[in-house]
Amino acid sequence: MNLLYTLDLLGTAAFAASGALAGVRRNMDLFGVLVLGLVTATGGGTIRDLLLGDTPPFIFKDETYLYLSLCVSVAVFLFHRNIDRFHHPLLYCDAVGLGTFVVIGTSKAIAFHIGFFGSIMMGVMTATAGGMVRDMLSTHVPLVLQREVYASACLAGAALLYLLHFTPLPGNYASLIAALAVIVLRLLAIRYNWSLPRASHNEHAD
Amino acid sequence: MNLLYTLDLLGTAAFAASGALAGVRRNMDLFGVLVLGLVTATGGGTIRDLLLGDTPPFIFKDETYLYLSLCVSVAVFLFHRNIDRFHHPLLYCDAVGLGTFVVIGTSKAIAFHIGFFGSIMMGVMTATAGGMVRDMLSTHVPLVLQREVYASACLAGAALLYLLHFTPLPGNYASLIAALAVIVLRLLAIRYNWSLPRASHNEHAD
Amino acid sequence: MNLLYTLDLLGTAAFAASGALAGVRRNMDLFGVLVLGLVTATGGGTIRDLLLGDTPPFIFKDETYLYLSLCVSVAVFLFHRNIDRFHHPLLYCDAVGLGTFVVIGTSKAIAFHIGFFGSIMMGVMTATAGGMVRDMLSTHVPLVLQREVYASACLAGAALLYLLHFTPLPGNYASLIAALAVIVLRLLAIRYNWSLPRASHNEHAD
């Protein structure tokens, strides 16, 4: 499915940019920026493949993802001063990446006969685990655990795809619908500043 | 062995509660609380299965663990103000979980023909790695590396089980004895405030 | 190849010492010091084996690595006050470990038919991932992402080995040359205080 592969690469590039930028902001050296770019872009899918027992993971079967992440990270390292200009395009690409990664992860889990909960976990993990490792490597509490409907959009899309899988709808259409659901939810969440409830816990973190 | 499965679920619930509570204390949103609950309850066994090459890990073969962790985490999110009332029951359930997880992890490693050191590592890891990931996700130095005889009780129980494995004692009895050893050691450690020696290093962490 | 195995154990011991020392400095208890020693010495190779699907990882097939790391960590715990005396020998052993780990990781990846980029990643990861987990466990931003030509020496050595693999040079010689390249680069980097460029980002980490 060529469209999905194209969207996948677009998302990979956007995720690599977000990781590399985090490295620049943490004042890391060139190697650190590359590692954060690579991990953010490919970490989620790699952990998914490890859990499914599909080794070596996808990044070693098609090195396009690695070279693309590398090039984007180097570009961010060199031109990070101008990156504000790309703030909006990056947000859109990031949303496209989110939708694509959720669909790829969930579909793969279904193909490996994982159940409902597990398939949704795989979809959400494919889209968010790379960013969580990025935040752990820079000793920040992962953003995705703290704010916005980032993960919820993934949850909704993954659940939708799992259910569509039992309808006579062809797989390509189901994937497209689920990916669009994630992307639209994510963009609406940004626009209207949605957020999930927190437990109203007043003490500071101990 | 039905008793072991029951104890396993009890421990899973207690571990999920401890993870979800950490998420509430770090002021995470609902999704963050769920992730911390799930990771704490199932992370140790998942890492064990990855290391043994037994993929997909147990949580995807029997989704009971996932649903249970989810329900407990949601309950903690909603009713965390009343959780102090359950402080003592939670400590007991946590100790039961510790003993059960050690026994399950060590037994599985022995069944996979892992050696003495490796089997003990697997037992300890099954019981403690979930909590370590919980602490890393909330950017705290893992508690288990710093205080109390938490890990040592696991070490002792795992070593005991490995050795009992060479005696004519039936497996069920060996498991029960080892689990009880962990639980009793853990409860004694809480009661008498035992702790492991530290290197008397006076400089502050750099 | 007996020389490689000897160098491997030497590197393992040096890495275990660096991990255990980090644990002592973070004021961890004995268990924490052991975990940090073990993880630093064996974590990189373990992650490599997981990614290659070669489970259980090498540490469970030859427990020598585990016992060696354990003994070194206990020694550091007991005698850390005298460790300054071994500062220079430790730096040399660490460099030897770096070179050896890169060569072992890259060779294994080539044997598993991983491509150019992936094989280099495996080599670098074998040598550096243990230290990264050590730093994450003690909630520090991994040193290797921030300073010195530590990782670059690994990158150069891994790329060299991959290329030598296509020449008629016997494997043993290629390994030796690549390991020496890493070791010499690393020692030169220490001596002349080389460092990688950073993006000149003036804001503090947010």
Side-chain angles (χ1 to χ4, degrees):
Chain A
M1 194 173 156
N2 256 331
L3 174 64
L4 198 59
Y5 188 63
T6 310
L7 295 178
D8 194 13
L9 292 181
L10 194 70
T12 300
F15 275 45
S18 111
L21 203 58
V24 167
R25 290 211 175 108
R26 269 42 147 191
N27 202 24
M28 291 182 178
D29 67 14
L30 177 55
F31 179 74
V33 170
L34 298 183
V35 169
L36 256 73
L38 278 168
V39 160
T40 309
T42 65
T46 302
I47 294 176
R48 175 203 62 216
D49 286 355
L50 283 181
L51 287 170
L52 291 175
D54 183 32
T55 53
F58 75 108
I59 47 169
F60 298 118
K61 289 175 182 153
D62 175 3
E63 295 200 332
T64 312
Y65 298 96
L66 294 175
Y67 285 106
L68 177 62
S69 305
L70 179 74
C71 293
V72 170
S73 302
V74 170
V76 167
F77 182 81
L78 294 176
F79 307 117
H80 64 92
R81 278 199 197 73
N82 306 309
I83 205 152
D84 285 342
R85 206 180 302 166
F86 300 104
H87 182 67
H88 277 95
L90 272 180
L91 269 185
Y92 284 102
C93 292
D94 188 83
V96 168
L98 209 63
T100 316
F101 287 12
V102 166
V103 163
I104 292 175
T106 310
S107 304
K108 187 158 183 176
I110 294 172
F112 274 71
H113 305 292
I114 304 292
F116 177 66
F117 199 133
S119 294
I120 292 179
M121 265 181 72
M122 291 289 186
V124 175
M125 195 181 281
T126 304
T128 63
M132 287 170 83
V133 178
R134 172 200 65 206
D135 292 342
M136 288 167 75
L137 280 173
S138 40
T139 61
H140 284 61
V141 174
L143 269 179
V144 69
L145 303 180
Q146 292 180 293
R147 56 131 214 217
E148 290 186 67
V149 196
Y150 199 86
S152 315
C154 300
L155 278 171
L160 180 62
L161 182 57
Y162 190 88
L163 297 177
L164 287 178
H165 177 70
F166 293 105
T167 67
L169 198 72
N172 287 5
Y173 288 93
S175 295
L176 205 65
I177 291 171
L180 276 175
V182 176
I183 295 168
V184 169
L185 275 175
R186 171 71 187 136
L187 294 178
L188 286 174
I190 294 176
R191 179 157 192 87
Y192 296 105
N193 218 0
W194 287 343
S195 67
L196 276 192
R198 280 153 203 275
S200 51
H201 188 274
N202 291 322
E203 303 164 44
H204 290 290
D206 54 329
Chain B
M1 192 173 158
N2 257 332
L3 175 64
L4 198 59
Y5 188 62
T6 311
L7 295 178
D8 194 13
L9 292 181
L10 194 70
T12 300
F15 276 44
S18 110
L21 202 58
V24 168
R25 291 214 173 107
R26 268 47 149 187
N27 201 24
M28 292 182 177
D29 68 13
L30 177 56
F31 178 75
V33 171
L34 299 183
V35 169
L36 254 71
L38 278 167
V39 160
T40 308
T42 65
T46 302
I47 294 176
R48 174 203 63 216
D49 286 355
L50 282 181
L51 288 170
L52 290 176
D54 183 31
T55 52
F58 75 108
I59 47 168
F60 298 116
K61 289 175 183 153
D62 174 2
E63 294 200 332
T64 312
Y65 297 96
L66 295 174
Y67 286 105
L68 177 63
S69 305
L70 179 73
C71 295
V72 170
S73 302
V74 170
V76 168
F77 183 80
L78 294 176
F79 307 116
H80 64 91
R81 276 199 198 74
N82 306 309
I83 204 150
D84 286 341
R85 207 180 302 168
F86 300 104
H87 182 67
H88 278 95
L90 272 179
L91 270 184
Y92 284 101
C93 292
D94 188 84
V96 168
L98 209 63
T100 315
F101 287 12
V102 165
V103 163
I104 292 175
T106 310
S107 304
K108 187 159 184 176
I110 293 172
F112 274 72
H113 304 292
I114 304 292
F116 177 66
F117 199 132
S119 294
I120 292 178
M121 266 180 72
M122 291 289 185
V124 176
M125 195 181 282
T126 304
T128 62
M132 288 169 81
V133 178
R134 173 200 64 206
D135 293 341
M136 289 166 76
L137 280 174
S138 40
T139 62
H140 284 61
V141 173
L143 270 179
V144 68
L145 302 181
Q146 291 179 292
R147 55 133 217 214
E148 290 183 66
V149 198
Y150 200 85
S152 315
C154 301
L155 277 171
L160 179 63
L161 181 57
Y162 191 88
L163 297 176
L164 287 177
H165 177 69
F166 293 106
T167 67
L169 199 70
N172 288 5
Y173 289 93
S175 296
L176 206 65
I177 292 171
L180 276 175
V182 176
I183 296 169
V184 169
L185 276 174
R186 172 70 187 137
L187 293 178
L188 286 174
I190 295 175
R191 180 156 189 87
Y192 296 107
N193 217 0
W194 287 343
S195 67
L196 276 192
R198 279 154 203 275
S200 51
H201 189 273
N202 290 321
E203 303 163 44
H204 289 290
D206 53 328
Chain C
M1 194 172 155
N2 256 331
L3 175 62
L4 198 59
Y5 188 63
T6 311
L7 295 178
D8 194 12
L9 292 181
L10 194 68
T12 300
F15 276 45
S18 110
L21 203 56
V24 168
R25 291 212 173 108
R26 267 49 147 184
N27 203 23
M28 292 180 176
D29 68 13
L30 177 56
F31 178 74
V33 170
L34 298 184
V35 169
L36 256 72
L38 278 168
V39 160
T40 309
T42 64
T46 302
I47 295 177
R48 174 203 62 216
D49 286 355
L50 282 181
L51 287 170
L52 291 176
D54 183 31
T55 53
F58 75 108
I59 47 168
F60 298 115
K61 289 176 182 151
D62 173 4
E63 295 200 331
T64 312
Y65 297 96
L66 295 175
Y67 285 106
L68 177 62
S69 305
L70 179 73
C71 294
V72 170
S73 302
V74 170
V76 166
F77 182 80
L78 294 176
F79 307 117
H80 64 91
R81 277 199 196 74
N82 305 309
I83 205 152
D84 286 342
R85 206 181 300 167
F86 299 104
H87 182 67
H88 277 95
L90 272 179
L91 270 184
Y92 284 102
C93 292
D94 187 85
V96 168
L98 210 64
T100 315
F101 287 11
V102 166
V103 163
I104 292 174
T106 311
S107 304
K108 187 159 184 177
I110 293 173
F112 274 71
H113 304 294
I114 305 291
F116 177 66
F117 199 132
S119 294
I120 291 179
M121 265 180 72
M122 291 289 185
V124 175
M125 195 180 282
T126 305
T128 63
M132 288 170 82
V133 177
R134 173 201 63 206
D135 293 341
M136 288 166 77
L137 279 174
S138 40
T139 63
H140 284 61
V141 174
L143 269 179
V144 68
L145 303 180
Q146 292 179 291
R147 58 132 216 218
E148 290 185 65
V149 196
Y150 200 84
S152 315
C154 300
L155 277 172
L160 179 63
L161 182 57
Y162 191 89
L163 298 177
L164 287 178
H165 178 70
F166 293 106
T167 67
L169 199 70
N172 288 4
Y173 288 94
S175 296
L176 206 64
I177 291 170
L180 276 176
V182 175
I183 296 168
V184 169
L185 275 174
R186 172 69 186 137
L187 293 178
L188 286 173
I190 295 175
R191 180 158 190 86
Y192 296 106
N193 218 358
W194 287 343
S195 68
L196 276 192
R198 276 154 204 275
S200 49
H201 189 273
N202 290 322
E203 303 162 45
H204 289 289
D206 53 329

